[in-house]
Amino acid sequence: MAEREDLELPRGIALAWGVAANPQRGPKREMSVEQIVEAAVEIADAEGLGAVSMAAVAARLGYTPMSLYRYVTAKDDLILLMQEEATGLPSEAVRTAGGWRETLTALYREQLQLYLQHPWVLEVPITGSPATPNSAAWMDAGLAALDGTPLTHDERLSVLLLVTGAARWAGIILAGYARRQRSSGEAPDEITQSEDSLYRALITEDEYPHLRAAIDAGVFLDDSDPFTFGLERSLDGVQAYMDRVAEGRRPERLPWMGLDDADIADDKRYREARKAVREAEKALRAARRQERQVAREARERAAAAARKAE
């Protein structure tokens, strides 16, 4: 605890770890950070993240907005604490699921369920790894699953990112469908039928042969879980990699490439080059649309000529 107190922590992080100083000035304290966060989570669960404001939370608690700022000094800090509250801790079932693969699968499913319970969490911008107690507990549970494997610590973290990323992506998709069901009143099978009919009406074999073949095979009517299938195949790959490492065939890790563009984004020539690329891509899309239109007209003329010849 002494190390945390000595470190200059951002206010939100300090509140999450319970090492921030409590407000001392003003009227007798009649609320707490916990009450504020719980009220904000209730608003987000009911109305979405966009409905959360200091004024809305204060009104829910029966206080003025300024009184809240004595406890949580910025909305970004409040959102961080809301995310921490909604995320919670991994269950004992995750920690005792079995081997590394069973544990990571259980972690994936539990995180996905949390996203469906609190879909607004998916709207919180990712600006880094949240260094909060609950987030640390989830990371620790995932890394514990891989303890004893031949993977290095950075490889274990990479596998954990694969699993949590899969849960987040599935959460984004499934939460979107859930919103549609609530707003339209459609049943899941009605949405499936509607999408299949739409694709069948728009996608032709001439223009999109591979997609049309998939449609004809009934992929949009299939009720199997594509997200779990993808996770399972990814974990197959992790197992295959472990086997290679155990045989002494660890490949060289590629360097990090994710922030290359950020280093040059302010360069004027780079921005101009990117703009030229976008314009060229736009022209290419227009040319392809024209190509499809000409091909369509040619087919129609050919069909008309054939009918006339008959």
Side-chain angles (χ1 to χ4, degrees), residues 10-16 37 49 72 74-87 120 124 127-132 135:
R11 173 70 178 175
I13 299 293
L15 286 170
V37 172
L49 187 62
V72 182
K75 184 178 178 181
D76 286 347
D77 292 341
L78 176 59
I79 291 175
L80 175 70
L81 295 172
M82 290 169 59
Q83 186 176 15
E84 177 77 351
E85 173 70 16
T87 299
W120 55 267
V124 178
T127 58
S129 179
T132 55
S135 295

Side-chain angles (χ1 to χ4, degrees), residues 65-119:
M66 288 306 299
S67 63
L68 266 65
Y69 283 103
R70 297 180 54 246
Y71 296 82
V72 182
T73 57
K75 184 178 178 181
D76 286 347
D77 292 341
L78 176 59
I79 291 175
L80 175 70
L81 295 172
M82 290 169 59
Q83 186 176 15
E84 177 77 351
E85 173 70 16
T87 299
L89 293 170
S91 70
E92 187 63 20
V94 168
R95 293 187 176 274
T96 59
W100 69 266
R101 182 165 183 150
E102 291 78 15
T103 300
L104 292 182
T105 300
L107 184 149
Y108 160 85
R109 290 173 177 165
E110 197 158 296
Q111 284 202 338
L112 176 55
Q113 189 60 40
L114 288 172
Y115 287 136
L116 297 180
Q117 291 174 353
H118 307 287

Side-chain angles (χ1 to χ4, degrees), residues 213-261:
I215 295 167
D216 291 338
V219 293
F220 290 104
L221 299 174
D222 193 312
D223 61 357
S224 60
D225 182 356
F227 303 108
T228 298
F229 176 84
L231 177 67
E232 289 174 346
R233 300 296 72 75
S234 296
L235 296 182
D236 286 346
V238 173
Q239 181 63 70
Y241 180 79
M242 287 184 184
D243 294 342
R244 291 175 61 188
V245 170
E247 295 171 358
R249 298 186 295 126
R250 174 177 269 112
E252 182 180 355
R253 295 287 300 275
L254 295 174
W256 170 252
M257 300 176 62
L259 300 179
D260 286 355
D261 285 354

Side-chain angles (χ1 to χ4, degrees), residues 189-230:
D189 59 337
E190 292 176 324
I191 294 177
T192 298
Q193 290 288 344
S194 174
E195 289 185 340
D196 181 70
S197 298
L198 186 62
Y199 273 106
R200 288 181 185 278
L202 296 174
I203 304 302
T204 65
E205 183 178 1
D206 290 337
E207 295 179 277
Y208 309 99
H210 302 291
L211 178 55
R212 182 68 208 199
I215 295 167
D216 291 338
V219 293
F220 290 104
L221 299 174
D222 193 312
D223 61 357
S224 60
D225 182 356
F227 303 108
T228 298
F229 176 84

Side-chain angles (χ1 to χ4, degrees), residues 158-177:
S158 295
V159 172
L160 178 59
L161 289 174
L162 182 153
V163 174
T164 57
R168 185 177 183 88
W169 173 241
I172 290 172
I173 301 299
L174 296 179
Y177 275 99

